[in-house]
Amino acid sequence: MAFAVLMWSWKVGPALATGNTVVMKPSELTPLTALMAAEMIHEAGFPPGVFNLVVGYGNTVGQAITEHRGIDKVAFTGSTLVGRKILEASAKSNLKNVTLELGGKSPNIIFNDADLELAVGWTAHGVL
C-alpha cells in the first residue's frame, strides 16, 4: 500500500498544485488506495471535476484516456509493452505529452566491500 500512495502522490500532487485537473486510472490490481484518496479529496472540498477517478482495465479505460482529445498529458508507470501502446495512441489522437516510467524494477549496485546480508535486507525493503 505504501508504494501505491507514493505513486499517487508523485503523479497527482504536482498536477493539482499547479492548477491542472486530473483524470486518474489506477492499476486494476491496486485501486483501493486511489479510491480512498479520491474520497479524501471530495471531503476536503475540491470542486467537482478537478480530480476524476476512473477504474477499470487498461485495454478499455486506459485506451480511452490515451485516445481522448481533451486530455493533454498522460503519465504512466508500468510495462514497456503498454508504454508503447500509450505513446502510439497519444500520438494518433492529439500529440499529447507523455511521461513513461517503464520496465525497471528497482535496480541496485552492491559493491564487493558491502555487508551482503545488510545490503540484501535494505534492497528488499526499498523494492517493497
Side-chain angles (χ1 to χ4, degrees):
M1 179 167 157
F3 190 69
V5 171
L6 287 175
M7 291 298 296
W8 192 92
S9 62
W10 290 338
K11 307 286 185 184
V12 175
L16 293 175
T18 54
N20 295 286
T21 59
V22 172
V23 176
M24 181 182 192
K25 183 238 170 272
S27 165
E28 54 268 16
L29 302 176
T30 59
L32 292 180
T33 301
L35 288 166
M36 291 172 63
E39 187 176 318
M40 288 187 279
I41 283 176
H42 177 72
E43 289 175 9
F46 277 63
V50 171
F51 177 80
N52 307 276
L53 183 70
V54 291
V55 294
Y57 291 103
N59 59 352
T60 52
V61 177
Q63 183 174 355
I65 289 171
T66 58
E67 292 176 354
H68 195 286
R69 292 186 178 274
I71 295 174
D72 296 323
K73 167 113 173 91
V74 171
F76 173 76
T77 300
S79 72
T80 302
L81 177 68
V82 173
R84 283 189 183 113
K85 291 179 181 181
I86 289 171
L87 198 55
E88 180 181 358
S90 296
K92 286 181 177 178
S93 62
N94 61 341
L95 278 177
K96 60 181 59 66
N97 291 312
V98 178
T99 302
L100 302 172
E101 299 175 55
L102 306 175
K105 186 58 184 143
S106 306
N108 287 273
I109 298 173
I110 300 172
F111 293 99
N112 290 338
D113 62 345
D115 178 331
L116 190 58
E117 190 171 319
L118 189 62
V120 168
W122 278 110
T123 299
H125 178 75
V127 168
L128 303 173

